[in-house]
Amino acid sequence: MTTTVPLASYLFTRLRQLGIGAVHGEPGDYTLRALDFIRPAGLRWIGNCNELNAGYAADGYARVKGMSAFCTTYGVGELSAINAVAGSYAEYSPVVHIVGCPARMVYGSNRLVHHALETGNMRVYADMYARVTAAQANLTDARTAPGLIDRVLEECRIQSRPVYIELPSDMVEAQVDESRLSAPLHIEPPTNARDLEDAVVNETLERIYSSKRPYILVDGLVRPDGIVDEVNELARVTGFPTLAITFGGGIINGSSENYHGVHAGKFGSIDHTPYTDSADLALLFGPLLSDTNTQGWSVVPKEDITISFRRNSIDIGSASHELRIKSFMRSLLSKLDPSKISAGAPNPPLSSPRDLLKSLPPPDPSAPVDQDTFYLRLSPFFRPYDIIICANGTPLVGGRDFILPPGARLVNSGVWLSVGHMLPAAQGIAVAQREALEAGQQPGRTILFEGDGSFQATAQELSTIIRYRLDVTIFIVNNDGYTFERLIHGLEEEYNDVAPWRYPEAPRFFGAPEDGSYAVETHDARNWGELLKVLESESFGDGKGLKMVNVWMRREDVTRNFKAALVLAGKQLLAGSE
Amino acid sequence: MTTTVPLASYLFTRLRQLGIGAVHGEPGDYTLRALDFIRPAGLRWIGNCNELNAGYAADGYARVKGMSAFCTTYGVGELSAINAVAGSYAEYSPVVHIVGCPARMVYGSNRLVHHALETGNMRVYADMYARVTAAQANLTDARTAPGLIDRVLEECRIQSRPVYIELPSDMVEAQVDESRLSAPLHIEPPTNARDLEDAVVNETLERIYSSKRPYILVDGLVRPDGIVDEVNELARVTGFPTLAITFGGGIINGSSENYHGVHAGKFGSIDHTPYTDSADLALLFGPLLSDTNTQGWSVVPKEDITISFRRNSIDIGSASHELRIKSFMRSLLSKLDPSKISAGAPNPPLSSPRDLLKSLPPPDPSAPVDQDTFYLRLSPFFRPYDIIICANGTPLVGGRDFILPPGARLVNSGVWLSVGHMLPAAQGIAVAQREALEAGQQPGRTILFEGDGSFQATAQELSTIIRYRLDVTIFIVNNDGYTFERLIHGLEEEYNDVAPWRYPEAPRFFGAPEDGSYAVETHDARNWGELLKVLESESFGDGKGLKMVNVWMRREDVTRNFKAALVLAGKQLLAGSE
């Protein structure tokens, strides 16, 4: 006799097997019955305030945990979240989006149900989602549903991109074969054809051995590509000067002597181009080469000196070889013989944000906090295993100067750059951190650098942080509006203003308890003296509960060298103008 | 010599000509230069906190003003707003969505820019929008751009549905022929073939004259169809018993003797089915017959007794005649001879919410405020020309019992039912009201009935109300979570909970000035006594500035007869279950 389980139970059990511990989302009548199966499957429910924010939170959770899931309702819910899912797609974040849909009989009917645009055209949202998800499953048949679920979950993991599951309300309790749950999913990265892999490994090694002026350039897809350890090992073993592109910040161990921070060309705090422009080899890992990430492609090395290591190909100059990166890297590292390396110390030598920080005088306590030194001076606050999250806007730029301790990591955006993304993402990450703690690991803190304009876009998720008693530290970089946009165009224009919220009152308004059951600290820092006092406070530093500092900065302030990039961006908007 | 104007100037001038006074939106680098042309064209800029909310605000403004516009940026901005635009599409709200896009040369390039999913596939968002907009214009050529703009603006108005305009950043200042601006747009409703119109008018009149048990049933598309006055006139002249479907509340003058309120069958506070079930003629105006709007189609009259008056067709029984409603109604009214009407007084007689209210005893001041009588008892608070907005959830249901004074109107949702829609919509409506005041009209107040769960979804637009010093009165129907969902399924489940915000502190947190430049009043009402005190206060009643009452209700409370509808909905989710 076949033992069966309800379909929703099958789905959530599979998510649990993949290491997911929490499902984010928003209830809606088409999803309600499915939600009953979350807790019995060993998962936690995290209710967000709206669906876009649930999508962002799931994105953050996935970046840390390796995979995530969230639920929305048909139409209104899923469409509200599509921007978050598109961002996960653009930046390779593996998110499972489960949409609670009307019962199947409704699809063929000529009766209009709520959240539908019209009758006869009810899968229009699924069609839209096809453009921003790697795979889709429409669970209309109990016999095929488990297989469809398995396939999309495998694709989610293998492609490291979001997938979409339509769960009609009348399928939630459909009985499916339970035994299938004992068969493991196929999520191991595929291996390579041995001959091709050997040949390309050898060619890569030859280039590594013979180069006189090499460097390693690390971008952010290294993380979804699953080769963080391998790239660190390569940097360590070769001793090659190593730089990151903005999205790849925090991947290389920040205490490595040969790691010189983020390469932002002439727009960075340190200009590394005197070295990189004369290099004869660039080993480029996990590239996501958007205009913003690469400072208008100015830090992208020339093709003829570049080997690009991508998820599914190794590109040597203009020759592209279809190879899976994980297997390739293992092979490369096992064959690498450091004694054959001919490159000497870099000349001119490369400095790093560590040197910049050392050269800074102590700040004048009465001076306003400035973008140029804020991020450098914040760095000693970080501890191993902290996860530091940079909102889109000035924190994304300033965060390039962060110096991270071992095990700490950075979360930022490489191409999507959606304002408001990072507060909900921090909430999702804090859930992942809590799970790590529960699993007996020792996670660091969750620290968000947020802009005031960004905060306003998705502020209600602060209440989700409070509601679930999560541990999050937030620096609000309060520069009175959209400073990033101001410097591109419209310095004094009203459209770059935002309303003057009283940020330190946020936790109280959003329902923080005052019975001592959850620690909340808020501070205003109007100058360096006030900020340093907060940073030195032991209770602020423990990262428990909600810590929040409202850091006042001047409205037109950004890091000095970056200002030119924004002015240039303003001009490029007119490129091709008649 | 041809005089030229920048393309953005052309676009915004056309919007101004159509009566639009304000453009909502969110800045983004691809839009910035276009925003410079808003004020010079005589328009106001209203900056929202995020794009979804801007879309909702534009929807609200359009419902009152007849047309609206909002701006977002490419990708992240427009996708965040797509749920609002889809709602405008579903409910026939004429919104112009202007998307600031990258410069044209980027589209053909192989370089990845921010907010793009990939190169070579850059119009993917426009493709998604094609499913939820009535017309689109991609302004890539200065010679054709003005014509494309004119065409989509005409379609927006004629179809009363959203349209989509792609404005590449390098086209903003492209010079276009100014003289075209003197040619009026073609937005007059089309006329009908005379013979067909006459025949259908005559057939309709015959049915009106001969009916013994007729009624008029008014739904919400009457407003976008532009026949509010005509339907009121027909109800007045015929004296037929007149009812509304939920979405059509507030269209018929609330003080008319033959208007009996909203027909919600056995789920309404008054069950009108004893009369409607035995009727021989139903004149159905502006139908949007969704499950929620019609209580599971239970109030939809049988086809053989129905004449449906739609935007582009008059359907007599099963025969559909393609006719434009506006012209048809004028002809019908001009030919109608009331002396030929044979119907007598309705039997059984129909009562109305006015009768219910009269029969209510005064509330016990110490008793909790209850859903069953809250909406009835609130009605005397309303004044002529107030605009009363009901959030999705319990206010949508309870608002069926409102008794409106002449000129007052109701805004609610007929099929889209997106949680969080109505606070931003109220902000947009308050801007329209301000413009009416500036134009020398005497608008009433803007009064929002909001749920606590809804408020949390889009709460930041309260700061937009404050920032622009708008006049809005808000009743928060605070029942501690998603009560609507609770009663469908999961009465005690955590997924129907929301965080316990301190609502009365909202204005202060969101930056309300405390220098007396803008009046803010907040109140807590935990029982009838506290609520009545607020309602009787002169300063609260003036509707100036921001007035807010947090009305505490029991978490499982909804109007008595409607509870059964929610239980039924919970069961229907399983319809067809295996």
Side-chain angles (χ1 to χ4, degrees), chain B residues 176-190:
Chain B
V176 302
D177 182 3
E178 185 180 30
S179 64
R180 196 181 169 106
L181 282 171
S182 343
L185 294 169
H186 304 292
I187 53 172
E188 281 305 301

Side-chain angles (χ1 to χ4, degrees), chain B residues 112-392:
Chain B
L112 181 67
V113 297
H114 58 293
H115 308 337
L117 289 176
E118 55 197 299
T119 58
N121 185 25
M122 289 193 59
R123 295 198 61 245
V124 57
Y125 318 129
D127 290 345
M128 292 177 178
Y129 261 97
R131 313 299 290 262
V132 295
T133 47
Q136 299 196 320
N138 183 12
L139 307 181
T140 57
D141 183 333
R143 289 161 301 182
T144 57
L148 291 174
I149 289 172
D150 289 359
R151 189 184 63 79
V152 298
L153 297 183
E154 287 165 356
E155 287 299 322
C156 182
R157 191 67 157 254
I158 287 169
Q159 297 192 41
S160 194
R161 282 189 136 170
V163 295
Y164 178 88
I165 295 178
E166 289 168 86
L167 179 58
S169 67
D170 64 320
M171 284 294 292
V172 166
E173 297 179 31
Q175 295 296 314
V176 302
D177 182 3
E178 185 180 30
S179 64
R180 196 181 169 106
L181 282 171
S182 343
L185 294 169
H186 304 292
I187 53 172
E188 281 305 301
T191 53
N192 293 318
R194 188 61 182 270
D195 288 356
L196 178 63
E197 184 174 282
D198 283 350
V200 179
V201 163
N202 288 340
E203 189 175 350
T204 304
L205 288 173
E206 281 312 311
R207 295 286 295 270
I208 288 174
Y209 296 150
S210 64
S211 168
K212 303 294 180 205
R213 295 176 65 83
Y215 69 108
I216 294 172
L217 187 58
V218 179
D219 201 1
L221 295 184
V222 160
R223 203 170 288 277
D225 290 351
I227 53 167
V228 170
D229 291 344
E230 289 82 355
V231 175
N232 268 283
E233 178 70 3
L234 186 78
R236 194 186 61 75
V237 172
T238 60
F240 285 175
T242 301
L243 297 164
I245 301 184
T246 305
F247 185 42
I251 286 173
I252 299 296
N253 182 341
S255 59
S256 311
E257 276 303 312
N258 57 327
Y259 179 60
H260 302 277
V262 171
H263 182 28
K266 63 181 174 182
F267 305 118
S269 300
I270 301 169
D271 185 357
H272 295 297
T273 46
Y275 182 79
T276 57
D277 278 357
S278 58
D280 60 9
L281 177 65
L283 304 174
L284 174 60
F285 289 92
L288 184 65
L289 304 179
S290 74
D291 54 352
T292 44
N293 194 34
T294 61
Q295 319 314 307
W297 304 285
S298 70
V299 302
V300 179
K302 289 197 191 72
E303 191 183 67
D304 59 350
I305 67 155
T306 305
I307 304 180
S308 295
F309 301 81
R310 301 171 190 271
R311 191 174 191 85
N312 294 312
S313 73
I314 312 298
D315 303 342
I316 303 182
S318 60
S320 184
H321 305 284
E322 195 181 321
L323 289 163
R324 312 296 161 191
I325 187 68
K326 185 85 178 174
S327 164
F328 179 89
M329 286 303 293
R330 285 176 185 159
S331 174
L332 182 74
L333 287 168
S334 72
K335 293 190 180 162
L336 178 68
D337 178 355
S339 72
K340 295 188 178 167
I341 289 175
S342 52
N347 178 17
L350 288 84
S351 65
S352 86
R354 289 185 298 271
D355 307 313
L356 279 187
L357 177 59
K358 270 181 221 144
S359 71
L360 282 182
D364 170 2
S366 66
V369 179
D370 60 293
Q371 295 267 350
D372 252 337
T373 68
F374 173 68
Y375 300 93
L376 284 168
R377 285 182 168 134
L378 242 288
S379 295
F381 177 73
F382 300 141
R383 301 178 188 170
Y385 307 106
D386 283 348
I387 298 182
I388 295 138
I389 303 149
C390 291
N392 297 308

Side-chain angles (χ1 to χ4, degrees), chain A residues 544-576:
Chain A
K544 297 293 172 209
L546 174 60
K547 319 284 186 191
M548 206 167 137
V549 208
N550 181 30
V551 185
W552 296 69
M553 299 208 189
R554 280 167 303 124
R555 69 191 327 214
E556 75 287 5
D557 192 18
V558 290
T559 51
R560 198 177 318 149
N561 295 332
F562 189 66
K563 202 172 259 189
L566 293 176
V567 172
L568 190 64
K571 288 188 183 142
Q572 281 170 347
L573 292 175
L574 291 175

Side-chain angles (χ1 to χ4, degrees), chain A residues 2 32 80-81 84 109 150 156 230 244 283 295 303 312 365 424 437 458:
Chain A
T2 312
L32 293 171
S80 291
S109 130
D150 289 0
C156 182
E230 289 82 354
L283 303 174
Q295 320 312 309
E303 191 184 65
N312 295 312
L437 192 68
T458 54

Side-chain angles (χ1 to χ4, degrees), chain A residues 24 69 80 92 96 106 170-171 185 215 227 249 261 301 313 356 471 505 573:
Chain A
H24 286 80
S80 291
Y92 292 81
V96 181
V106 173
D170 64 321
M171 284 294 291
L185 294 169
Y215 70 107
I227 53 166
S313 72
L356 280 186
D471 301 318
E505 299 183 17
L573 292 175

